[in-house]
Amino acid sequence: TQDWGYISAKHLAIPTTAGLGSESTKFSMLHYKGKLKRIEHDSLLPDYVILDAKLLAEVPLYHKKSAMMGAICQAIDSLWSINSTQKSIKYAKDAIRLIFAYYPSYLQGSKEAAHHIMTAANYSGRAVNITQLSALHDMGHKMAFLDRIDFGHALAFCLPAFWKHMSKN
C-alpha cells in the first residue's frame, strides 16, 4: 500500500432512528446543488455499530412511523430482488417479523420494543446491502427530495404501485 500520510481511523456508526439501517449499508445519498446523488462504496460500512434504543425515546411519532415504514418497504424490496440470497432473505424476514410483532408497543414508548425495532431496522439495512437498491429506492428518494417528506414515508407511498408492477412481472 502507498502511504498518503492519512491517519487510519475506525468508523463507528450510531443510528438515531430505527429506519433504513444505514449503519449496515454501503449506500448513502448526497444532496448537492439541487440534485440528488447516490454514493455507493464499501468504505461506508462501519467497523463498529452501536444500536442504542434509548436514542429513540425522543424521536417524534411521525418520524418513528415513517422510519419503520421505510424499514418494512426496504425489507420487502430486498425479498423480491433478483440478488436475494438465503442470508438477505433471513434478514428481510426477521426485520418484517420484528416490526409487526413490536410496532404497537414501540409507538406507545416501550423500551424493550424500541430495542427490537432498532434491530429490525438494522436487519433491513443488512438485507438491502446484499441485494442492492432498486427502482423503489430511486422513486422514494426522488419523492422525498422533491416533496420534502421523510424517505420512509415516500417509500410507503410508492410501495403499492411498485408491488403491483412486481406482482405482474
Side-chain angles (χ1 to χ4, degrees):
T1 63
Q2 188 170 6
D3 181 10
W4 294 93
Y6 295 109
I7 297 172
S8 177
K10 296 293 182 189
H11 178 179
L12 170 66
I14 306 172
T16 57
T17 64
L20 299 172
S22 299
E23 73 279 359
S24 300
T25 73
K26 58 185 172 186
F27 307 108
S28 186
M29 297 302 290
L30 175 67
H31 296 221
Y32 182 69
K33 294 185 179 182
K35 295 193 177 184
L36 194 59
K37 303 284 184 186
R38 181 190 300 176
I39 301 169
E40 178 181 342
H41 196 272
D42 286 340
S43 67
L44 293 174
L45 285 167
D47 299 299
Y48 303 100
V49 173
I50 296 175
L51 299 178
D52 185 355
K54 289 182 283 195
L55 297 173
L56 303 178
E58 300 300 319
V59 174
L61 185 60
Y62 166 76
H63 297 294
K64 284 182 178 183
K65 290 176 180 179
S66 175
M68 256 192 325
M69 288 305 301
I72 290 170
C73 291
Q74 183 168 268
I76 291 168
D77 191 22
S78 179
L79 284 173
W80 61 41
S81 171
I82 61 170
N83 298 320
S84 290
T85 65
Q86 293 288 351
K87 193 172 195 176
S88 71
I89 291 168
K90 180 170 179 11
Y91 284 141
K93 285 182 176 181
D94 286 349
I96 293 167
R97 179 183 51 78
L98 285 170
I99 290 169
F100 278 104
Y102 289 97
Y103 84 86
S105 51
Y106 169 58
L107 296 177
Q108 293 174 355
S110 165
K111 292 176 185 177
E112 177 192 356
H115 167 76
H116 291 293
I117 296 296
M118 188 167 254
T119 300
N122 182 269
Y123 287 162
S124 178
R126 289 174 185 236
V128 81
N129 192 58
I130 293 168
T131 60
Q132 307 299 306
L133 302 178
S134 74
L136 176 63
H137 273 79
D138 293 336
M139 290 187 308
H141 277 297
K142 191 70 167 184
M143 176 181 272
F145 182 69
L146 293 175
D147 295 336
R148 299 179 187 267
I149 61 174
D150 278 4
F151 179 57
H153 188 167
L155 280 178
F157 185 82
C158 295
L159 184 64
F162 202 67
W163 188 297
K164 186 176 180 180
H165 171 77
M166 293 301 291
S167 296
K168 289 180 181 177
N169 296 293

